[in-house]
Amino acid sequence: MRGTLFSLLLKDRDLLGWEAFCVHFTAVGRELAHETGNRRLATAGVGRTTFERWSSGTWHGRPRGEAAQILERMLGHTVEELFSPAADTSESTASLETVATQIGSRWPTSNLLLPAGGPAGTWEIAGRQRLDGTSAAVHLLPVIRRGEEADVHDLSQDGLRNLEQFLRPARRGFLVGVEERHDDFNLYVRDAAAARRPARPGPSAAGTLSIPSAYLLDDLTYGILWALTQLDDGLLADDQALDAEQHLLGTYLSLPRSAPSQMLVDLTAAGSSWMGSAFCAQHIQQELTDATEVPIFWTREQSGEEAACWLFFKHKLEYLQTLERFHSPVAQTVRVFCLPEAEVARSETYERVLLLLAIALMERFGIRVRVISKPEYSDVDGVALVPGQRAVVANWVRVPGGALWAAGSTSARGELRTYATVFADSEGADMLVGEDPAIRLRSLADYLSLDWNWLTSRCHALGEYGVAGLVRPRSRLLTVEALDETLLFLGKLASQR
């Protein structure tokens, strides 16, 4: 029979000697006495004979009273757990070694590299059509879920030192908690930067590091992590270039039409997307300054990889806020998405989650979203149409000819009629039927083959904690404010039919 967890923890923490154990036991007792006002905790002690019985590894009794309280605080486990047989560490090690395989099989855009089977390695993340991919440091830790927290479990002195060394560098990194569940396991993710903010873990703080259970790694959290890390690292790589090329935006805004080649600037996919999106947002706002009718919009994004920019680009949030001036009790802006069935079928689940989140963001801003599935509308321009007055073209997604963007404005009657006809057709083909955002978004979830109850429940849990603890943007051009609010918005719809 294996020894008790208590005896194993004493060995890991160099507390097998009675004298060393008593020093820690007394210190924790005084700390608890100060917190609780129970003076008996400050004078509690453990005799040598009692300690030897406890530490033998074969005693399965239960300490009581003040001794039990001190032991539970000192070692981070209940006395029932402490004096029960310890888990088989070889099984735990084996489960850690299978994590990389499981993550890679569930999310093919992920590859976990753990040199020599150790807990620390590299998380490689690949893009699909638009993003370049990136990598981050990763450290796997055993955890036990306790309610809303997954607590780091049974780290040895070496394990604690390794964790401290992992958290110290100012790089992108993730802690991945591994919770064993019979023949399977759950994974929980926390940004290393968020874990650095509390006091660093050490021998006296063992068991205090935890990961919110809302940060369970699934298609919701993986999609967010997948998109944000790639956008963030791409923009950081382009930071100087984007700053140096800001004059391009002002120069091209003064032109009636523009379609600059990507060859003008050397940017990552994320940087090119940001520059194209930033220009188009400014172009639309400039052209709509004197609009007297409520505009309607056509959006070219068809995948989560493309739509993720709405969730994270800071200027996207500011752009949506400026368009709120068109909202009124009798008028509502409309935005149309063309999502052909073939494109949806090619998307992974986590990408479809990102797509729904982006559309939910629009609905949260009071924008009536329409979704059509007709593939023949896939190449319609990204456009803001002021009926009878002007069509403002602003393409930056899938721009032909390798341009950063293609933008212009027209008042020609023939072109206005063409765009008006397309928007009229979209109203008749709209799949999001319903006067209520909850009904429309639920029908969208059905079309995207997403479990509505699961999604809204997870959005509620994640929204309560916020995304920054899961994955924090470092670029000044990104924000998670819009996503946090969207998660809470969707979470509130969980109880609505």
Side-chain angles (χ1 to χ4, degrees):
M1 180 180 291
R2 296 188 297 274
T4 60
L5 176 59
F6 179 81
S7 64
L8 180 63
L9 292 177
L10 293 186
K11 181 179 180 181
D12 285 343
R13 302 178 189 190
D14 297 325
L15 296 177
L16 286 174
W18 174 67
E19 294 84 357
F21 172 84
C22 286
V23 169
H24 287 268
F25 187 89
T26 301
V28 173
R30 289 172 179 169
E31 179 183 324
L32 272 174
H34 179 73
E35 292 179 9
T36 64
N38 182 357
R39 296 181 180 179
R40 291 195 300 273
L41 290 165
T43 58
V46 177
R48 183 185 295 271
T49 302
T50 299
F51 173 74
E52 290 176 352
R53 184 169 66 250
W54 288 356
S55 61
S56 66
T58 59
W59 187 75
H60 301 291
R62 298 291 183 267
R64 299 173 180 270
E66 286 75 23
Q69 294 180 54
I70 296 171
L71 289 174
E72 290 180 346
R73 169 64 71 87
M74 180 179 172
L75 298 174
H77 297 272
T78 65
V79 289
E80 287 78 11
E81 293 169 340
L82 289 171
F83 293 96
S84 296
D88 188 335
T89 56
S90 63
E91 291 177 3
S92 177
T93 301
S95 71
L96 290 178
E97 292 173 352
T98 62
V99 169
T101 302
Q102 292 289 338
I103 286 181
S105 63
R106 180 167 181 183
W107 297 289
T109 48
S110 265
N111 185 22
L112 228 61
L113 303 176
L114 302 174
T122 302
W123 194 345
E124 294 184 345
I125 297 170
R128 285 171 61 81
Q129 301 298 320
R130 292 192 60 85
L131 297 174
D132 294 327
T134 188
S135 63
V138 65
H139 194 296
L140 274 58
L141 299 163
V143 297
I144 293 179
R145 179 169 175 173
R146 304 180 192 280
E148 296 185 357
E149 300 290 331
D151 295 328
V152 173
H153 175 55
D154 292 352
L155 287 185
S156 65
Q157 293 292 325
D158 286 342
L160 288 166
R161 282 191 291 269
N162 291 338
L163 180 55
E164 287 179 331
Q165 291 172 2
F166 176 81
L167 292 176
R168 187 174 296 117
R171 63 188 172 186
R172 167 75 70 193
F174 294 103
L175 298 179
V176 176
V178 182
E179 176 197 19
E180 293 191 55
R181 294 170 56 86
H182 306 297
D183 295 331
D184 198 3
F185 48 78
N186 285 333
L187 303 177
Y188 303 87
V189 178
R190 189 177 187 187
D191 195 303
R196 280 197 296 267
R197 282 197 291 271
R200 287 181 177 169
S204 62
T208 62
L209 184 64
S210 63
I211 304 174
S213 57
Y215 294 166
L216 174 73
L217 187 62
D218 57 10
D219 285 312
L220 172 64
T221 49
Y222 178 75
I224 292 169
L225 182 152
W226 174 79
L228 181 51
T229 54
Q230 292 185 83
L231 291 172
D232 195 38
D233 289 353
L235 291 177
L236 287 175
D238 288 340
D239 190 63
Q240 279 199 332
L242 289 172
D243 185 61
E245 301 297 342
Q246 283 292 314
H247 67 280
L248 281 178
L249 301 184
T251 299
Y252 284 104
L253 281 170
S254 64
L255 302 177
R257 292 181 182 274
S258 61
S261 170
Q262 292 190 29
M263 300 297 290
L264 287 173
V265 289
D266 184 17
L267 297 172
T268 65
S272 296
S273 294
W274 182 89
M275 182 166 279
S277 173
F279 175 83
C280 288
Q282 292 180 43
H283 171 64
I284 291 172
Q285 291 175 77
Q286 176 178 280
E287 293 295 319
L288 294 182
T289 300
D290 59 352
T292 57
E293 297 288 333
V294 177
I296 52 181
F297 299 83
W298 193 283
T299 301
R300 285 173 64 85
E301 289 88 343
Q302 292 186 336
S303 68
E305 194 173 23
E306 294 172 344
C309 297
W310 284 103
L311 300 171
F312 301 117
F313 283 175
K314 188 178 293 184
H315 68 259
K316 287 289 198 185
L317 176 59
E318 296 165 353
Y319 166 69
L320 289 175
Q321 289 169 338
T322 63
L323 296 180
E324 287 184 302
R325 67 187 178 90
F326 291 110
H327 296 181
S328 72
V330 295
Q332 186 179 33
T333 56
V334 171
R335 188 172 290 272
V336 182
F337 285 76
C338 175
L339 306 179
E341 291 182 12
E343 291 298 326
V344 172
R346 277 194 287 266
S347 295
E348 300 284 346
T349 302
Y350 62 87
E351 271 204 278
R352 285 179 265 128
V353 170
L354 289 172
L355 193 55
L356 188 142
L357 288 173
I359 292 174
L361 168 66
M362 314 288 182
E363 289 279 355
R364 185 179 69 83
F365 269 96
I367 298 169
R368 170 62 163 90
V369 175
R370 297 178 190 160
V371 171
I372 64 172
S373 62
K374 296 180 178 180
E376 58 267 31
Y377 289 96
S378 293
D379 294 327
V380 172
D381 289 321
V383 64
L385 176 66
V386 184
Q389 297 181 12
R390 180 181 304 163
V392 183
V393 176
N395 293 330
W396 65 273
V397 176
R398 303 190 311 280
V399 185
L404 282 168
W405 65 76
S409 180
T410 181
S411 298
R413 291 185 178 179
E415 292 183 81
L416 293 183
R417 281 197 298 269
T418 299
Y419 285 121
T421 299
V422 169
F423 277 105
D425 289 348
S426 74
E427 185 172 7
D430 183 17
M431 297 187 297
L432 306 189
V433 179
E435 298 302 318
D436 184 284
I439 298 174
R440 292 195 291 270
L441 290 171
R442 185 162 192 162
S443 65
L444 175 62
D446 290 341
Y447 177 63
L448 297 177
S449 299
L450 298 174
D451 185 324
W452 175 253
N453 292 330
W454 164 81
L455 181 62
T456 53
S457 174
R458 288 290 290 124
C459 286
H460 174 76
L462 186 56
E464 289 291 317
Y465 276 89
V467 169
L470 169 75
V471 52
R472 187 181 71 170
R474 297 175 296 167
S475 170
R476 57 194 168 84
L477 304 175
L478 299 179
T479 179
V480 293
E481 179 184 345
L483 178 56
D484 280 340
E485 292 298 322
T486 302
L487 291 169
L488 291 172
F489 171 73
L490 276 169
K492 290 178 182 177
L493 301 182
S495 60
Q496 298 184 27
R497 294 186 178 182

